[in-house]
Each structure stands twice: as C-alpha cells, then as structure tokens.
Amino acid sequence: MNTLSIPRRHLLRILSGLGVGLASPAALAADPIAVVMASNSRQRGLSSDKLRRVFLALPTDDDDGHRFVPINLAQSSNVRERFDRNVLSMSPTEIARYWIDQRLRGNKPPRSASSLDLCRRAVQELPGAISYLPLSQVGSLKVLSIDGRSPNENSYALR
C-alpha cells in the first residue's frame, strides 16, 4: 500500500481551501497573519503604513484602481486583536474609542466578517476587498507581502 506524505501545513492549506477548518484557536493564535486579497488581484504587496491607512478606513486605492474595502474579523477574534495591535498599534479599548470618535465625525468603520469562511468569500467576490487571516486558513486567496516580506519570513511584521 502506498502512502502519501504531506507536510501538516500543506494539508491544512488544502483543507482550508476546501472550506474545512481544523485548526484550534490556540493554533490560529500562533499562526502568522496573512494579509489577503482576491486571487485575481494585481496587488502584490503593501507597506505597513498603507496597510494601516486601509484599516483605519482612510481612502486608499489598490493596484487595480479599486478603493480598498477593508474587512475585519469579528471583534472577539484573537487574530483581530493581534492584527490591531501589530498594524494599528491599538488595544481593543483604543480601537473601540477610535471608531466611536470616527462615527461621530460621520466616518464608517470597516466591514466585519463573523467567520473565516465568510471573510474568505467576501474577499474573493468583492472588488478591492482586503482582509487578514491566519496563514493556514488563506485557501485560494492571494497573500500580500508587507514591507517586501512574506508571512513565511522571520522578519515579517505580522508574525
């Protein structure tokens, strides 16, 4: 009998691409965070400054000429908390205060996805949509480099 040996991370990527999520919350918390866009996007990467602007909902265009449409994970997500701390340099309390202030000024916060699957579908289908996911949960989405570095590099900003 022949057996196929597939590294665990490749198997998880294949399964996540099929919509099967096996990773535990603890495993997701240790996974690098990948910034993602639709697989057909021309966008290859972003600077950390531009990524911050996008998720503060400041008008910013992608390489395809679409306005970026940031999509956050749910507020209770550990991945979102890590992303907010690393990219926006804000705690959950600071983020809440920021968006209350922005709403009073007439500005809307990014959309939120209640699950990883919903986030993947929205990013793939909505022109200009950008989000972040644990690297093992990316599926067929395009992973963007941040400051010229990929999530597999030790010096990557969202590791």
Side-chain angles (χ1 to χ4, degrees):
M1 179 171 142
N2 285 341
T3 61
L4 180 62
S5 177
I6 300 175
R8 178 179 163 80
R9 72 172 189 260
H10 295 302
L11 179 60
L12 288 174
R13 282 192 188 150
I14 291 166
L15 291 173
S16 70
L18 297 172
V20 177
L22 298 177
S24 69
L28 294 179
D31 213 0
I33 298 171
V35 177
V36 295
M37 288 189 75
S39 57
N40 62 352
S41 171
R42 291 189 311 165
Q43 193 77 38
R44 299 265 184 248
L46 291 171
S47 69
S48 51
D49 290 336
K50 191 167 188 177
L51 181 62
R52 178 179 168 80
R53 287 182 52 81
V54 167
F55 279 90
L56 290 176
L58 300 171
T60 312
D61 292 341
D62 69 12
D63 288 349
D64 291 319
H66 297 111
R67 178 75 30 103
F68 276 110
V69 178
I71 301 174
N72 274 319
L73 295 178
Q75 288 181 341
S76 60
S77 165
N78 290 335
V79 176
R80 178 171 175 178
E81 184 176 338
R82 283 178 48 214
F83 181 86
D84 289 347
R85 286 186 189 280
N86 288 328
V87 173
L88 306 179
S89 301
M90 292 186 208
S91 70
T93 304
E94 291 168 321
I95 288 289
R97 273 189 250 145
Y98 174 82
W99 286 115
I100 289 169
D101 180 62
Q102 290 302 303
R103 282 188 178 117
L104 293 172
R105 297 170 192 262
N107 299 324
K108 295 180 183 178
R111 298 171 185 190
S112 271
S114 58
S115 70
L116 297 177
D117 186 49
L118 183 60
C119 182
R120 276 191 299 269
R121 285 187 293 165
V123 168
Q124 187 59 42
E125 295 174 14
L126 186 63
I130 183 170
S131 192
Y132 49 89
L133 296 167
L135 184 58
S136 64
Q137 301 295 308
V138 167
S140 63
L141 297 174
K142 179 181 282 186
V143 176
L144 303 182
S145 65
I146 304 301
D147 296 328
R149 293 181 173 83
S150 75
N152 294 322
E153 296 180 52
N154 287 334
S155 57
Y156 179 68
L158 299 173
R159 233 171 144 53

